[in-house]
């Protein structure tokens, strides 16, 4: 575990960097999840196996998470989540104290649920972000940031998640460079056999294509 020190918070994260990584992907969780989410950890392990570094990060402090468990308010505070994610992107670009070799690596963002909105808003604020993947995300919550995103965006949605699918279809029309991939028969959490594996395969391909050594 690493501790990322930002101006307004100290955040816990799990960093994994394979040899000669194609880039670094920061995971933005949402809807009460954390860096310990088994789904995002499974995706991160798949990205590591594909030669991509990952940072699974809690965007809320432990104290904030305790408040959020009761109020469920902070997980929808897209402005707060975005500012923390921007701080993380900047820190990685400069090189972490515990991992200075992150400096110079291209950065991608992987957002789930409300974390996807923060990922897109952060990409809009930091044009150097090389690619974004959203899993069952709420890109609609990024609002006015969507047209300002220059990074290529992959929106992955379950075919049996109709409300979120509709929101992603609408968001795609507002993004400059976006593709929508529907996982047939999958619900919001991609718990069906093979669904999460399909998410991982698509995400790894997307990040390798757009991050690899400045491609």
């Amino acid at each position: 575990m690493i501790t990322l020190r930002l101006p307004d918070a100290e955040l816990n994260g799990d960093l994994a960097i394979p040899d000669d990584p194609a880039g670094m992907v920061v995971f933005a969780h949402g809807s009460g999840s954390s860096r310990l989410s088994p789904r995002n950890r499974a995706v991160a392990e798949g990205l590591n196996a594909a030669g991509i570094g990952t940072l699974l990060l809690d965007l809320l402090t432990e104290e904030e998470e305790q408040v959020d468990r009761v109020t469920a308010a902070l997980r929808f505070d897209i402005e707060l989540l975005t500012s923390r994610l921007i701080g993380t992107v900047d820190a990685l670009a400069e090189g972490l104290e515990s991992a200075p070799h992150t400096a110079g690596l291209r950065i991608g963002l992987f957002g789930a649920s409300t974390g996807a909105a923060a990922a897109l808003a952060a990409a809009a604020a930091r044009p150097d972000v090389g690619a974004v993947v959203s899993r069952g995300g709420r890109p609609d919550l990024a609002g006015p940031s969507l047209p300002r995103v220059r990074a290529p965006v992959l929106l992955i949605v379950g075919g049996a998640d109709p409300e979120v699918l509709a929101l992603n279809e609408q968001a795609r029309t507002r993004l400059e460079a976006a593709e929508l991939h529907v996982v047939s028969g999958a619900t919001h959490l991609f718990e069906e056999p093979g669904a999460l594996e399909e998410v991982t395969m698509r995400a790894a391909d997307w990040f390798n294509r757009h991050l690899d050594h400045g491609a």
Side-chain angles (χ1 to χ4, degrees):
M1 187 179 80
I2 67 166
T3 300
L4 189 66
R5 293 175 175 83
L6 301 181
D8 67 332
E10 292 189 358
L11 306 178
N12 294 325
D14 291 327
L15 183 71
I17 308 178
D19 294 335
D20 192 25
M24 279 294 306
V25 172
V26 182
F27 280 68
H29 314 290
S31 298
S33 185
S34 74
R35 76 182 194 282
L36 303 178
S37 159
R39 286 174 292 278
N40 279 348
R41 293 186 82 84
V43 174
E45 288 174 4
L47 296 186
N48 296 155
I52 301 165
T54 56
L55 175 58
L56 290 149
L57 187 71
D58 289 335
L59 293 177
L60 300 178
T61 65
E62 293 181 4
E63 293 78 12
E64 289 168 341
E65 286 180 355
Q66 290 176 4
V67 172
D68 187 64
R69 289 189 195 103
V70 177
T71 66
L74 294 176
R75 70 190 67 176
F76 290 101
D77 189 338
I78 305 303
E79 184 175 350
L80 173 64
L81 300 179
T82 299
S83 69
R84 299 271 172 86
L85 202 50
I86 290 172
T88 302
V89 168
D90 291 346
L92 281 172
E94 294 171 3
L96 300 178
E97 182 178 343
S98 57
H101 48 303
T102 63
L105 293 176
R106 296 205 77 200
I107 297 172
L109 303 175
F110 184 101
S113 192
T114 54
L120 289 164
R126 292 293 183 269
D128 288 343
V129 168
V132 179
V133 173
S134 163
R135 173 182 66 79
R138 289 291 308 276
D140 55 297
L141 296 178
S145 295
L146 292 178
R148 296 189 288 109
V149 177
R150 296 293 172 262
V153 179
L154 177 62
L155 304 168
I156 305 177
V157 187
D161 191 10
E163 292 183 6
V164 172
L165 178 56
L167 292 171
N168 277 261
E169 288 174 335
Q170 294 165 13
R172 179 176 56 170
T173 66
R174 302 181 61 199
L175 289 162
E176 181 177 289
E179 292 183 16
L180 176 65
H181 178 75
V182 179
V183 179
S184 180
T187 52
H188 187 62
L189 296 180
F190 298 88
E191 295 175 305
E192 294 72 22
L196 199 59
E197 289 80 2
E198 186 172 339
V199 170
T200 303
M201 180 183 67
R202 293 285 179 172
D205 175 72
W206 192 259
F207 286 127
N208 267 321
R209 195 190 324 167
H210 295 291
L211 298 183
D212 192 13
H213 303 294

